[in-house]
């Protein structure tokens, strides 16, 4: 037998509560309270209550005060809960006050039981329709497994950014990232664990994108980032940093270390001429697939070169620990300049007689050449 919706009746008159409850029991599970304060405590604690039918004139907390507390609650279910106020004698002033405080409906005690049931049924049906609408909207916007934006929502974001770009000449960049060999990863770990690995990656990526960027899940093992206002070369630079971060990451599943890499496709306006948001996403996806076909673990940006960006000392150390010295070599002069104060302190405190003077002369000569 299906569970009946639970309704709270609030009235300081036991006779009124009993009468209403008798008429409602075939349609609803009824709970009763004698004043607004007790009703408030019940509503906070009992999450199964779907609607309130409350008298206005009551001790401790009247119906208006209860309604005001509901609508100002931080709990969304209480903010939106259907609430019918019942008065002994209806006046236009009372009706206006009830409407202003957010009452769902307003009845007099002379209204018949069939009228109360009809109004209550309509309100609950409306609430259920709104909940279904909200749920559908959330599913359109967010992937239920990852909480990230869906492909459809990303396309809407891109369309909006392209429209703004056309009016103001703003760059719009998009990159699509995919795990290399994701099918093999699913075979090795199982689809659920492979998806969890992807979710971990998504959480890492979410911490690196800007607030104005949109991160979404577009396919199994594939994610996309929309970056309004970001030029292609800077987006390519970010894509390369993401690729390197995945390559040197130490991820283990069931105690076994996983060596993961990603391929990234980049598309950008106005560098790339596209006719729609879907076309920009498709172009970025094609370039990701090209990167995978070329061996993976690379960025394909349609010929766009990453903006020059100095490497940080922690990142350099990560690369060396991963036995990847090649990306570090072009930045050795800058890294040596960062390390010099530390080397001076080490030389002084540990008495190692390091060639500090030679290092300083070398850096001075390099800086002079670069000026």
């Amino acid at each position: 037998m299906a569970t009946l919706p639970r309704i709270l009746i609030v009235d300081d008159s036991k006779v009124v509560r009993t009468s209403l409850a008798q008429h409602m029991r075939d349609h609803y599970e009824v709970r009763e309270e004698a004043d607004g304060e007790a009703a408030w405590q019940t509503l906070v604690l009992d999450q199964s209550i779907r609607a309130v039918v409350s008298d206005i004139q009551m001790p401790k907390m009247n119906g208006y005060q209860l309604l005001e507390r509901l609508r100002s609650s931080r709990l969304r279910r209480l903010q939106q809960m259907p609430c019918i106020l019942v008065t002994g004698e209806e006046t236009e002033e009372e009706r206006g006050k009830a409407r202003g405080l957010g009452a769902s409906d307003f009845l007099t005690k002379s209204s018949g039981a069939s009228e109360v049931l009809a109004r209550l049924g309509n309100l609950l049906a409306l609430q259920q329709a709104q909940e279904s609408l909200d749920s559908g909207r959330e599913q359109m916007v967010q992937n239920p497994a990852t909480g990230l934006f869906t492909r459809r929502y990303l396309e809407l974001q891109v369309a909006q950014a392209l429209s703004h770009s056309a009016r103001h000449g703003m760059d719009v960049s998009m990159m699509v990232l995919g795990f290399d060999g994701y099918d093999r990863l699913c075979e090795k770990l199982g689809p659920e664990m492979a998806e969890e690995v992807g979710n971990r990656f998504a959480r890492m990526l979410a911490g690196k994108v800007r607030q104005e960027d949109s991160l979404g899940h577009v396919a199994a093992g594939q994610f996309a980032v929309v970056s309004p206002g970001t030029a292609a070369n800077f987006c390519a630079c970010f894509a390369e940093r993401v690729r390197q971060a995945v390559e040197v990451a130490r991820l283990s599943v069931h105690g076994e270390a996983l060596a993961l890499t990603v391929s990234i496709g980049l598309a950008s306006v106005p560098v790339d001429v596209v006719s729609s948001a879907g076309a920009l996403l498709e172009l970025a996806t094609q370039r990701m697939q090209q990167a995978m076909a070329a061996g993976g673990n690379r960025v394909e940006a349609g010929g766009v070169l990453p903006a020059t960006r100095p490497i940080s000392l922690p990142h350099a150390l990560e690369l060396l620990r991963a036995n990847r010295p090649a990306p570090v070599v072009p930045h050795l002069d800058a890294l040596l300049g960062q390390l010099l104060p530390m080397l001076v302190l080490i030389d002084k405190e540990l008495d190692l007689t390091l060639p500090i003077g030679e290092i300083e002369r070398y850096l001075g000569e390099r800086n002079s050449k670069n000026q």
Side-chain angles (χ1 to χ4, degrees), residues 46-118:
D46 190 345
Q47 299 184 23
S48 67
I49 294 174
R50 300 294 308 278
V52 182
V53 179
S54 174
D55 187 20
I56 292 179
Q57 301 302 327
M58 296 183 295
K60 296 186 181 179
M61 182 191 296
N62 63 36
Y64 291 133
Q65 293 168 327
L66 175 60
L67 175 60
E68 188 173 16
R69 189 172 288 190
L70 284 172
R71 297 303 181 241
S72 62
S73 171
R74 289 180 294 182
L75 298 175
R76 187 178 178 185
R77 67 179 177 86
L78 298 184
Q79 291 175 9
Q80 300 179 347
M81 180 171 289
C83 181
I84 298 177
L85 289 185
V86 182
T87 182
E89 186 175 345
E90 179 182 2
T91 66
E92 196 58 39
E93 182 182 357
E94 286 180 326
R95 179 177 288 276
K97 185 174 181 178
R99 187 184 301 113
L101 291 173
S104 307
D105 210 336
F106 190 88
L107 294 171
T108 63
K109 290 186 177 179
S110 60
S111 300
S114 58
E115 178 70 13
V116 176
L117 286 171

Side-chain angles (χ1 to χ4, degrees), residues 164-363:
H164 189 74
S165 172
R167 294 194 305 271
H168 304 286
M170 181 186 73
D171 293 283
V172 180
S173 293
M174 164 171 267
M175 59 183 190
V176 176
L177 313 88
F179 284 105
D180 295 317
Y182 187 73
D183 290 342
R184 294 192 301 274
L185 188 66
C186 289
E187 291 176 2
K188 180 178 181 179
L189 303 178
E192 291 185 1
M193 184 55 66
E195 184 178 0
E196 175 56 28
V197 170
N199 292 346
R200 290 192 209 176
F201 166 76
R203 288 192 287 271
M204 179 274 290
L205 188 58
K208 296 181 179 294
V209 301
R210 306 171 304 167
Q211 186 174 4
E212 57 267 38
D213 295 340
S214 298
L215 169 62
H217 185 272
V218 292
Q222 296 179 15
F223 304 85
V225 178
V226 181
S227 296
T230 301
N233 59 338
F234 286 101
C235 192
C237 182
F238 174 61
E240 180 60 25
R241 294 204 311 275
V242 171
R243 185 198 65 77
Q244 292 176 3
V246 175
E247 185 180 22
V248 302
R250 291 170 173 79
L251 182 65
S252 63
V253 176
H254 301 317
E256 180 182 356
L258 291 178
L260 298 175
T261 60
V262 292
S263 292
I264 303 175
L266 172 65
S268 183
V269 171
V271 174
D272 296 304
V273 179
V274 295
S275 58
S276 66
L280 188 69
L281 177 57
E282 185 60 33
L283 180 58
T285 302
Q286 290 175 2
R287 288 175 175 168
M288 176 202 68
Q289 293 168 347
Q290 291 171 10
M292 288 180 173
N297 193 26
R298 65 192 65 205
V299 176
E300 175 55 59
V304 173
L305 297 177
T308 303
R309 183 184 180 92
I311 192 171
S312 69
L313 186 57
H315 188 200
L317 293 174
E318 282 185 3
L319 291 168
L320 293 177
R321 282 193 290 267
N323 195 29
R324 296 187 62 248
V328 180
V329 172
H331 304 279
L332 288 178
D333 288 347
L335 293 171
L336 184 57
Q338 295 179 47
L339 282 171
L340 183 57
M342 179 67 73
L343 293 175
V344 171
L345 179 62
I346 290 174
D347 185 59
K348 177 182 177 181
E349 295 298 324
L350 302 183
D351 194 24
L352 296 180
T353 63
L354 297 175
I356 299 298
E358 293 183 21
I359 294 174
E360 291 175 335
R361 281 194 298 275
Y362 172 80
L363 290 175

